[in-house]
Amino acid sequence: MFFASDNSGPVAPQVLDALARANEGHAMGYGDDPLSQQVAEDLRALFEAPEAAVYLVPTGTAANALSLACLCPPYATVFCSPAAHIHEDECNAPEFYTGGAKLTLVGDSDRMTPEALRASIAGEETRGVHGPLRGPVSITQLTERGNVYSMEELRALTGVAKEFGLPVHLDGARFANAAVKLGVTPAEMSWKAGVDICVFGGTKNGLMGVEAVLIFDPAARSSSGAVAQNRLAAEFELRRKRGALLFSKHRYLAAQMAAYLEGDLWRDLAGRANARCDQLVQGLKGLDVTLRTEQHANLLFFDLPRRVHRELHAAGAVYSMWDSLDGPDDSIATARLVCDWSLPPEAVSEFTDLLARSL
Amino acid sequence: MFFASDNSGPVAPQVLDALARANEGHAMGYGDDPLSQQVAEDLRALFEAPEAAVYLVPTGTAANALSLACLCPPYATVFCSPAAHIHEDECNAPEFYTGGAKLTLVGDSDRMTPEALRASIAGEETRGVHGPLRGPVSITQLTERGNVYSMEELRALTGVAKEFGLPVHLDGARFANAAVKLGVTPAEMSWKAGVDICVFGGTKNGLMGVEAVLIFDPAARSSSGAVAQNRLAAEFELRRKRGALLFSKHRYLAAQMAAYLEGDLWRDLAGRANARCDQLVQGLKGLDVTLRTEQHANLLFFDLPRRVHRELHAAGAVYSMWDSLDGPDDSIATARLVCDWSLPPEAVSEFTDLLARSL
Amino acid sequence: MFFASDNSGPVAPQVLDALARANEGHAMGYGDDPLSQQVAEDLRALFEAPEAAVYLVPTGTAANALSLACLCPPYATVFCSPAAHIHEDECNAPEFYTGGAKLTLVGDSDRMTPEALRASIAGEETRGVHGPLRGPVSITQLTERGNVYSMEELRALTGVAKEFGLPVHLDGARFANAAVKLGVTPAEMSWKAGVDICVFGGTKNGLMGVEAVLIFDPAARSSSGAVAQNRLAAEFELRRKRGALLFSKHRYLAAQMAAYLEGDLWRDLAGRANARCDQLVQGLKGLDVTLRTEQHANLLFFDLPRRVHRELHAAGAVYSMWDSLDGPDDSIATARLVCDWSLPPEAVSEFTDLLARSL
Amino acid sequence: MFFASDNSGPVAPQVLDALARANEGHAMGYGDDPLSQQVAEDLRALFEAPEAAVYLVPTGTAANALSLACLCPPYATVFCSPAAHIHEDECNAPEFYTGGAKLTLVGDSDRMTPEALRASIAGEETRGVHGPLRGPVSITQLTERGNVYSMEELRALTGVAKEFGLPVHLDGARFANAAVKLGVTPAEMSWKAGVDICVFGGTKNGLMGVEAVLIFDPAARSSSGAVAQNRLAAEFELRRKRGALLFSKHRYLAAQMAAYLEGDLWRDLAGRANARCDQLVQGLKGLDVTLRTEQHANLLFFDLPRRVHRELHAAGAVYSMWDSLDGPDDSIATARLVCDWSLPPEAVSEFTDLLARSL
């Protein structure tokens, strides 16, 4: 009954196999090896973006912060939800990598609305050099509260950004879970929907620690072995190195991503995680539980009396509390449960059975 | 005949095995798992430093830049060799992580002398707020030109730093190769010799991508699960996260380091690499070759006519040129050869035989 | 009828006289001249803080950003009102000078309440290294919407900061106007009320461009000619120089401040500005005008129909619109009027007469 | 006998008069006043650069650091002399404003040679993303050791920069002294000689604290009241504000510069300072004094026995020692003497007479 995080599960066995296969003989470092080159091609093919620049980094925070640093000068501001990972969980990494840009929080929920986004953008930059200038819009799909934007919602948000000529960053730490839920292709959920730089997460979906960043600017594509000519791509490469995020033994990042792409493993793993979350939602039906996540993929927030939370924890269920566990027995507190690819169906049944008995 | 870099070889099989063993069930993220805690204890034991704060990061540049950021305020300067990796090969990462500190280059070779270091430190900070202030001394052991400082030389350098009350950072990307060469313990080559923050490299010696950083400040040791109370340790933790360098699936960094420590694998691997370099030096004896590295461990710089370099390259030897390959046949150019743990003795023999025939 | 800003009026004649008097012969630079030393003593005396470190800088943004940089590490967050100058009007200067810290906006008005501040502080730093850490509380007195915090309100806010062990910065760009309004001494409105670093503004109150910063930490006081030993004071000095804000011909900053202090000119000038604003409020009484500023000193926000605004502007009244002037005649828009020390009483009468006729 | 610095003398009386004249009535802030606009036009006319963007800042460090920040991304390096003010005297301000760029020191004297500059540039950027990239060339005219580059030397340096496609920054803190010495126009010594961004210093030549920055990029010219469209000009404006260097009461900067330009006061003041230095050189002729400055304008470095230095200081001569005063009587130490516009001829005679007696 381990629902603490999707970074808590093991790595998919295909990934370990790929690491072992990549571990033969010598290879040039820093991405100049054949496997790294091949994976970049495979990512371009998957995203139907033959001219995209493609980079692998080890953490989601790295993927986000580097992307924003390329899009946002230090005297500008990023528009994002107050629940965004870039605001809540990265210890000022975006501020660090951008050289001191600001984050403007849009609305008061995890899901930005076009109206709130438009009002927020319109409210900035009426003060000339007293600034800040308007910078990129950052969208998290799926959100940190577990909601999946529909394609219509996604396009509406990027549409507002385009009204103001602003670029769009997609924090796709759980891109796979969202795309599987929506039944869309990576291209459909990224550049075809108006995204300029997309993070295609792997770490939360069965890899050890690899995220791909795709810069869709036509002709951004970097040649290997030298600094890219395209401004965005060049900035990404130089900022990645300067951020101490360029792996010398790059083939081991590439091997993980190669396994992730082969036979659409990323879809398979995300499908498993989503299925467990569906099972969880089914199990909660008929019970006196208030769901806080409306369009779930593999995360679920819901409310229970603290007495029940305490009993579940005591019985061995591992999950995060969004409110403190301390409080009267009959007071309500919100929990966050995350299903990862490796979670067995039995763990979910055990949890919902336990919960049913406890209520 | 692959001598291009020690980040080009494969990972030691014990490391892959350890990753597979660590890949069981769920574990808390960000270092709050039992394996990560155990590895920190093991590193403290190896370095005979029970109170040290210990951190794992994925790249050598990360280890260096974070260490310097903890030791050097933005209005100070780091003293280092002009050949230092932090100056030549990190795309301004130290400047980035320190928030804009300066690097003061000491002398004109890869090996700093106590005299040059003292003169350089004395020359700074006679100008009050016109600054910069004096910051840490950074020593690279072994150096980027392949030389090992003797224990006497090392202590003389840290002694100069202590004269001025300055902290000492040791860039130990090849710590293992140097310690094996000198026949000393990790404690002897670090805090017992006056080092305050030590990088214990693994990536160049058979790991996928892990470096340990040890902060020897008594009581720096961080408790898990919260920010450390010690200033240096707290800064390291927060700057690591802010730099996007904290792994969520931290157990896979820990597993690599655990394998590295078990049965002193790090010594075994470094010993193999050093032995190949010894073999190379032996093979060059009697040939008309000018060595540029005087106290080698696993790197060797030497001079040959460009004609010979061209023949060696054409015959399949892979190594870096420190000067351009372009030039008259009989002009001299310097090569850099690196021996990694996986290099077979036959590759060295083949190279020296080829060279003997070519000269 | 010029109400656009308190940085639009002329400099007090006493200030020009002081500049002329200071313009004799040679003097050492960078603050090592007798006049600069004397002014620092005079400021310590005025604030009854013999051990305070005292610095002069040319702009209010400089005073704020340097103060915050000394109090807030880059992985922390500053608590302030969403209307604060540091958030709205400094083009990310606090983010720049702190090296990428964040600003956490407290409540939704210009005046923070103790409850909102406590809730905001409590909400941060429950996430360990995922940060940010809690940083200083920044209070603007008087606020950007023209309100003066009472002494009780001020002490309540600093009290909340002290509950959490956080330092307090006072943005006193209009310190004089607030102190005169409240009838309190500089000491009462700063360190006696729990302020740790105070900006004592001059630019908006008759100087050309000088703000004093007082660091009340006991023994912060800097000796001249060398870097201060106290950490906060040393940081201020070095960051001021690094920010290009240390004047070589420092005596001309000192001369302005000397004139400001002599015979309490600062009180006299602020009293004049406040009196004009009182006159304005009196003139609005009985008219159909909705005041938006409740505890005014020298700024006033109020609502009028756009038709009236347009007539006032056409008749030569100069003031800022807080809402767009565009809109139906009978729609309401908020204006900002600022009274500076030089504003003649006739200008106010002319304005209120005009308004009375227009309504 | 005050030779300590050209920032030690008084302000020219015309400047005080101009300040008094500007001190009438209300004016819009931040440069949107008629006088500021006029001065920008006058500077464009003086430099024969009708499309240049022109900015006033209060310190030389501000002028340099902002200029470099516009020309140098954080992953690049600035080429300059090891004696450059930006390296020696700005407490890492260039590193701060560029966001962590590096300074590459060219040669080992105050005067860069084309050969040393070419070698230095060629030596960088052979390492791709391991960086740093090549950034701007910064030239100081006259140099910090008092030497004036001839027009041929200046053009040779900018020519090397152009070979590599690099922009050129001119640190002209003593621009006037150099231009008067060479008998050239501002245009000849800036854009006509290949300079892209020029600092036209005033603070060391009779102003209180104003430097003009000219960006010669065609069409860089900024319209008032909004952010410039040209990238360089926009960056300068936003970085100036973000650096807390935009004056609200901008008319008082403009008034100083207006006085400086009127009737070529800048030439007159520089001519006086240079004449005093010529007088000093004449006075030293025939004495046993080794000059260290070969092409002087208003600064002179020369060697004397420490006994003589001590006697001169005891007799009331005020000047800086470049070496310590401590040492045997007959040992040699270098002095720096600076002549400012206000230095009376008698002070020079008194000094040289004293020296003649002492030798």
Side-chain angles (χ1 to χ4, degrees):
Chain A
M1 294 191 294
F2 202 103
F3 303 92
S5 174
D6 31 16
N7 60 41
S8 299
V11 161
Q14 296 91 329
V15 173
L16 283 184
D17 290 349
L19 288 172
R21 280 199 306 276
N23 199 41
E24 288 294 323
H26 290 80
M28 296 307 289
Y30 304 108
D32 286 336
D33 60 285
L35 185 57
S36 295
Q37 301 290 321
Q38 182 59 49
V39 162
E41 283 304 323
D42 293 346
L43 280 162
R44 289 184 193 105
L46 176 66
F47 277 83
E48 307 168 37
E51 299 302 319
V54 177
Y55 301 105
L56 304 183
V57 294
T59 70
T61 297
N64 287 336
L66 287 171
S67 298
L68 292 172
C70 292
L71 295 176
C72 190
Y75 36 74
T77 191
V78 176
F79 298 91
C80 66
S81 156
H85 198 272
I86 59 172
H87 175 62
E88 292 244 84
D89 295 297
E90 301 190 351
C91 198
N92 301 358
E95 287 87 350
F96 179 41
Y97 275 87
T98 58
K102 198 184 276 291
L103 270 58
T104 296
L105 307 182
V106 177
D108 54 8
S109 92
D110 59 320
R111 282 179 286 185
M112 295 190 288
T113 63
E115 295 70 32
L117 179 58
R118 187 179 290 108
S120 191
I121 297 175
E124 293 290 344
E125 197 171 349
T126 57
R127 297 184 301 274
V129 297
H130 303 274
L133 294 193
R134 295 161 178 159
V137 173
S138 177
I139 304 172
T140 311
Q141 171 76 317
L142 55 115
T143 78
E144 296 296 317
R145 299 294 177 269
N147 285 301
V148 185
Y149 287 111
S150 71
M151 289 302 297
E152 290 69 31
E153 290 170 330
L154 192 58
R155 282 190 293 256
L157 291 174
T158 65
V160 173
K162 300 309 175 202
E163 284 174 30
F164 292 92
L166 303 179
V168 175
H169 160 252
L170 189 78
D171 176 352
R174 296 187 180 95
F175 187 99
N177 303 94
V180 164
K181 176 75 177 192
L182 293 175
V184 297
T185 67
E188 284 168 344
M189 210 174 81
S190 59
W191 65 270
K192 289 184 177 176
V195 171
D196 296 291
I197 296 190
C198 178
V199 177
F200 179 59
T203 311
K204 289 183 187 295
N205 192 31
L207 303 189
M208 275 188 188
V210 185
E211 314 278 303
V213 177
L214 294 107
I215 304 178
F216 294 117
D217 189 7
R221 182 171 176 170
S222 170
S223 57
S224 79
V227 179
Q229 291 306 305
N230 178 273
R231 191 195 67 81
L232 276 181
E235 282 221 27
F236 196 96
E237 292 176 19
L238 291 155
R239 290 182 184 276
R240 176 175 58 166
K241 173 67 189 175
R242 196 171 80 109
L245 291 160
L246 176 60
F247 269 50
S248 57
K249 295 185 171 175
H250 195 274
R251 59 171 146 169
Y252 302 103
L253 294 185
Q256 295 179 57
M257 185 53 70
Y260 198 53
L261 299 183
E262 192 177 338
D264 279 348
L265 177 64
W266 63 276
R267 271 194 188 282
D268 176 49
L269 297 174
R272 294 190 202 195
N274 289 4
R276 292 293 77 73
C277 197
D278 287 338
Q279 181 190 349
L280 181 61
V281 170
Q282 285 301 320
L284 298 180
K285 275 199 182 152
L287 301 180
D288 184 17
V289 173
T290 308
L291 290 194
R292 291 287 170 201
T293 303
E294 296 166 20
Q295 302 295 332
H296 74 273
N298 71 317
L299 260 79
L300 210 64
F301 285 67
F302 54 83
D303 292 352
L304 288 174
R306 282 189 167 81
R307 174 190 60 78
V308 180
H309 283 308
R310 285 192 276 256
E311 290 178 13
L312 292 168
H313 277 84
V318 182
Y319 59 88
S320 301
M321 294 301 301
W322 222 243
D323 302 307
S324 166
L325 249 187
D326 299 331
D329 268 4
D330 54 356
S331 65
I332 297 298
T334 303
R336 184 188 85 144
L337 270 72
V338 191
C339 302
D340 79 288
W341 72 273
S342 77
L343 193 70
E346 297 74 25
V348 178
S349 319
E350 187 184 351
F351 178 82
T352 51
D353 291 351
L354 197 61
L355 175 57
R357 284 196 302 274
S358 185
L359 279 170
Chain B
M1 295 191 292
F2 201 103
F3 303 92
S5 174
D6 31 16
N7 61 40
S8 299
V11 161
Q14 295 92 328
V15 174
L16 282 184
D17 291 348
L19 288 172
R21 280 199 307 276
N23 199 42
E24 288 294 322
H26 290 81
M28 296 306 289
Y30 304 108
D32 286 335
D33 60 286
L35 184 57
S36 295
Q37 301 289 323
Q38 184 56 51
V39 162
E41 282 304 325
D42 293 345
L43 280 162
R44 289 185 193 102
L46 176 67
F47 277 82
E48 306 167 37
E51 299 302 318
V54 177
Y55 301 105
L56 303 183
V57 293
T59 70
T61 296
N64 287 335
L66 288 171
S67 298
L68 293 172
C70 293
L71 296 176
C72 191
Y75 36 74
T77 191
V78 176
F79 297 92
C80 66
S81 156
H85 198 271
I86 58 172
H87 176 61
E88 291 245 85
D89 295 296
E90 302 190 350
C91 199
N92 300 358
E95 287 86 351
F96 178 42
Y97 274 86
T98 58
K102 198 183 277 290
L103 272 56
T104 296
L105 307 182
V106 176
D108 55 7
S109 92
D110 59 321
R111 282 180 286 185
M112 295 190 288
T113 64
E115 295 72 32
L117 179 59
R118 187 178 291 108
S120 190
I121 297 174
E124 293 290 345
E125 197 169 348
T126 57
R127 295 185 302 272
V129 297
H130 303 274
L133 295 193
R134 294 161 180 159
V137 173
S138 177
I139 304 173
T140 312
Q141 172 75 318
L142 56 115
T143 78
E144 296 297 318
R145 299 294 177 269
N147 286 299
V148 185
Y149 286 110
S150 71
M151 291 302 297
E152 290 68 31
E153 290 170 330
L154 192 57
R155 282 189 293 256
L157 290 174
T158 64
V160 173
K162 301 308 174 202
E163 284 175 30
F164 292 92
L166 304 179
V168 175
H169 159 253
L170 189 78
D171 176 351
R174 296 187 181 94
F175 187 99
N177 302 93
V180 164
K181 177 75 178 190
L182 293 175
V184 297
T185 66
E188 286 169 343
M189 210 174 79
S190 59
W191 64 271
K192 290 185 176 175
V195 170
D196 296 291
I197 296 190
C198 178
V199 177
F200 179 58
T203 312
K204 289 182 187 296
N205 192 31
L207 302 188
M208 276 188 188
V210 185
E211 315 278 303
V213 177
L214 293 107
I215 304 179
F216 294 116
D217 189 7
R221 181 171 177 171
S222 171
S223 58
S224 78
V227 180
Q229 291 306 305
N230 176 273
R231 191 194 67 81
L232 276 182
E235 282 222 27
F236 196 97
E237 292 176 19
L238 290 155
R239 290 183 184 275
R240 176 175 58 167
K241 173 66 188 176
R242 196 172 78 109
L245 291 160
L246 176 59
F247 269 49
S248 57
K249 295 185 170 176
H250 194 274
R251 59 170 147 169
Y252 302 103
L253 294 185
Q256 295 179 57
M257 184 54 70
Y260 198 53
L261 299 183
E262 193 178 337
D264 278 348
L265 177 64
W266 64 276
R267 271 194 187 282
D268 176 49
L269 297 174
R272 294 192 202 195
N274 289 4
R276 291 294 77 71
C277 197
D278 287 338
Q279 182 190 349
L280 181 61
V281 170
Q282 286 300 321
L284 298 181
K285 274 196 184 157
L287 301 180
D288 185 16
V289 173
T290 307
L291 291 193
R292 291 287 169 202
T293 304
E294 294 166 21
Q295 303 294 335
H296 73 273
N298 72 316
L299 260 78
L300 210 62
F301 285 66
F302 54 82
D303 292 352
L304 288 174
R306 283 189 167 81
R307 175 190 59 80
V308 179
H309 283 307
R310 284 192 276 256
E311 290 178 13
L312 292 168
H313 277 84
V318 181
Y319 60 88
S320 300
M321 293 302 302
W322 221 243
D323 302 306
S324 167
L325 249 188
D326 298 330
D329 268 5
D330 54 355
S331 64
I332 297 299
T334 302
R336 184 188 86 145
L337 270 72
V338 192
C339 302
D340 78 289
W341 72 273
S342 77
L343 193 69
E346 297 74 24
V348 179
S349 319
E350 187 184 351
F351 178 81
T352 51
D353 291 351
L354 196 62
L355 175 56
R357 285 197 301 274
S358 185
L359 279 168
Chain C
M1 295 191 294
F2 201 104
F3 303 93
S5 175
D6 30 17
N7 60 40
S8 299
V11 161
Q14 296 92 327
V15 174
L16 283 184
D17 291 349
L19 288 173
R21 282 200 306 276
N23 199 41
E24 288 295 324
H26 290 81
M28 295 306 290
Y30 304 107
D32 286 336
D33 60 286
L35 184 57
S36 295
Q37 300 290 320
Q38 184 57 50
V39 162
E41 282 305 323
D42 294 346
L43 280 162
R44 288 185 193 104
L46 176 66
F47 277 83
E48 307 167 38
E51 300 302 320
V54 177
Y55 301 105
L56 303 182
V57 293
T59 69
T61 297
N64 288 334
L66 288 171
S67 298
L68 293 173
C70 292
L71 295 177
C72 190
Y75 36 75
T77 191
V78 176
F79 298 92
C80 67
S81 155
H85 199 270
I86 58 171
H87 175 61
E88 291 243 87
D89 295 297
E90 301 189 351
C91 199
N92 301 358
E95 288 86 349
F96 178 41
Y97 274 87
T98 57
K102 197 184 276 291
L103 271 59
T104 296
L105 307 181
V106 176
D108 54 8
S109 91
D110 60 321
R111 281 180 286 184
M112 294 190 289
T113 64
E115 297 70 32
L117 179 59
R118 187 179 293 109
S120 190
I121 297 175
E124 292 290 343
E125 196 171 345
T126 57
R127 295 184 300 273
V129 297
H130 303 275
L133 294 193
R134 294 161 179 160
V137 173
S138 177
I139 304 173
T140 311
Q141 171 75 317
L142 54 114
T143 77
E144 296 297 318
R145 299 292 176 270
N147 286 299
V148 185
Y149 286 110
S150 71
M151 290 302 296
E152 291 69 30
E153 290 170 331
L154 192 57
R155 283 190 291 257
L157 291 175
T158 65
V160 172
K162 301 308 176 204
E163 284 175 30
F164 293 92
L166 304 179
V168 175
H169 159 254
L170 189 78
D171 176 352
R174 296 186 180 95
F175 186 99
N177 303 91
V180 165
K181 177 75 180 191
L182 293 175
V184 297
T185 67
E188 286 168 344
M189 208 174 80
S190 58
W191 65 270
K192 290 184 177 177
V195 171
D196 297 290
I197 297 190
C198 178
V199 177
F200 179 60
T203 312
K204 290 181 187 295
N205 193 30
L207 302 189
M208 275 188 188
V210 185
E211 315 278 304
V213 177
L214 294 106
I215 303 179
F216 294 116
D217 189 8
R221 182 171 177 170
S222 171
S223 56
S224 79
V227 179
Q229 291 305 305
N230 177 274
R231 190 195 68 81
L232 276 182
E235 282 221 27
F236 196 96
E237 292 176 18
L238 291 156
R239 289 183 184 276
R240 176 175 56 166
K241 174 66 189 176
R242 196 172 78 109
L245 291 160
L246 176 59
F247 268 48
S248 57
K249 295 186 171 176
H250 194 274
R251 59 171 147 169
Y252 301 104
L253 294 185
Q256 295 180 58
M257 185 53 69
Y260 198 54
L261 299 182
E262 193 177 339
D264 279 347
L265 178 63
W266 63 276
R267 270 192 189 284
D268 177 49
L269 297 174
R272 295 192 201 194
N274 289 2
R276 292 293 79 69
C277 197
D278 287 338
Q279 181 189 351
L280 181 61
V281 170
Q282 285 301 320
L284 298 181
K285 277 199 180 152
L287 300 181
D288 184 16
V289 173
T290 307
L291 291 192
R292 292 286 169 202
T293 303
E294 295 166 21
Q295 302 295 333
H296 74 273
N298 73 317
L299 259 78
L300 210 63
F301 285 67
F302 54 81
D303 292 351
L304 288 173
R306 283 190 167 81
R307 175 189 60 78
V308 180
H309 283 306
R310 284 192 277 256
E311 290 179 13
L312 293 167
H313 277 85
V318 182
Y319 59 89
S320 300
M321 294 301 302
W322 221 243
D323 302 306
S324 168
L325 250 187
D326 298 330
D329 267 4
D330 54 355
S331 65
I332 297 298
T334 304
R336 184 187 85 144
L337 270 71
V338 191
C339 302
D340 79 290
W341 74 272
S342 76
L343 193 69
E346 298 73 25
V348 178
S349 320
E350 187 184 353
F351 177 83
T352 51
D353 290 352
L354 196 62
L355 176 56
R357 286 197 300 276
S358 185
L359 278 169
Chain D
M1 295 191 293
F2 202 103
F3 303 92
S5 175
D6 30 16
N7 59 41
S8 299
V11 161
Q14 297 93 328
V15 173
L16 283 183
D17 291 349
L19 288 172
R21 281 199 307 276
N23 199 42
E24 287 295 322
H26 290 81
M28 296 305 291
Y30 304 108
D32 286 336
D33 60 287
L35 184 57
S36 295
Q37 301 290 321
Q38 183 58 48
V39 162
E41 283 304 324
D42 293 346
L43 279 162
R44 288 185 194 104
L46 176 66
F47 276 83
E48 306 167 37
E51 299 302 320
V54 177
Y55 302 105
L56 303 183
V57 293
T59 70
T61 296
N64 288 334
L66 288 171
S67 298
L68 292 173
C70 293
L71 295 176
C72 190
Y75 36 75
T77 191
V78 176
F79 298 92
C80 67
S81 156
H85 198 271
I86 58 171
H87 175 62
E88 292 243 86
D89 296 296
E90 302 189 350
C91 199
N92 301 357
E95 287 86 350
F96 178 42
Y97 274 86
T98 57
K102 198 183 276 290
L103 271 58
T104 296
L105 307 181
V106 176
D108 54 8
S109 93
D110 60 321
R111 282 180 286 184
M112 294 190 289
T113 63
E115 295 71 33
L117 179 58
R118 188 178 291 111
S120 191
I121 297 175
E124 293 290 344
E125 197 170 347
T126 57
R127 296 185 300 275
V129 296
H130 302 273
L133 294 193
R134 294 161 178 159
V137 173
S138 176
I139 303 172
T140 312
Q141 171 76 317
L142 53 115
T143 78
E144 296 297 318
R145 300 294 176 269
N147 285 300
V148 185
Y149 287 109
S150 72
M151 289 302 297
E152 290 68 33
E153 289 170 331
L154 191 57
R155 283 190 292 256
L157 290 174
T158 64
V160 172
K162 301 309 175 202
E163 284 174 30
F164 292 93
L166 304 179
V168 175
H169 159 254
L170 189 78
D171 176 351
R174 297 187 179 94
F175 187 98
N177 303 93
V180 165
K181 177 75 177 190
L182 293 175
V184 298
T185 66
E188 285 168 345
M189 210 174 79
S190 58
W191 64 270
K192 289 184 178 176
V195 171
D196 297 292
I197 297 190
C198 178
V199 176
F200 178 60
T203 312
K204 290 182 186 294
N205 192 31
L207 302 189
M208 277 188 187
V210 186
E211 315 277 304
V213 178
L214 294 106
I215 304 179
F216 294 117
D217 189 8
R221 181 172 177 169
S222 171
S223 55
S224 79
V227 179
Q229 292 306 305
N230 177 273
R231 190 194 68 80
L232 277 181
E235 282 221 27
F236 196 96
E237 292 176 19
L238 291 156
R239 290 183 184 276
R240 176 175 57 166
K241 173 67 188 173
R242 196 172 78 108
L245 292 159
L246 176 61
F247 269 49
S248 58
K249 295 184 170 175
H250 195 274
R251 58 171 148 169
Y252 301 103
L253 294 185
Q256 295 180 57
M257 185 53 68
Y260 198 53
L261 298 183
E262 192 176 339
D264 279 347
L265 177 63
W266 63 276
R267 269 192 189 282
D268 177 48
L269 297 173
R272 295 192 201 195
N274 289 2
R276 293 292 76 72
C277 197
D278 287 337
Q279 181 190 349
L280 181 62
V281 170
Q282 285 301 319
L284 297 181
K285 275 198 182 155
L287 301 180
D288 185 17
V289 173
T290 306
L291 291 193
R292 292 285 170 204
T293 303
E294 295 166 20
Q295 302 295 333
H296 73 274
N298 72 317
L299 261 79
L300 208 63
F301 285 67
F302 53 84
D303 293 352
L304 287 173
R306 283 190 167 79
R307 175 189 59 79
V308 180
H309 283 307
R310 284 192 277 256
E311 291 179 12
L312 292 168
H313 276 85
V318 182
Y319 59 88
S320 301
M321 295 300 302
W322 221 243
D323 303 307
S324 167
L325 250 187
D326 298 331
D329 268 5
D330 54 355
S331 64
I332 298 298
T334 303
R336 184 188 85 145
L337 270 72
V338 191
C339 302
D340 79 288
W341 73 274
S342 76
L343 193 69
E346 297 73 25
V348 177
S349 317
E350 187 184 353
F351 177 83
T352 51
D353 289 353
L354 196 63
L355 176 56
R357 285 197 300 276
S358 184
L359 278 170

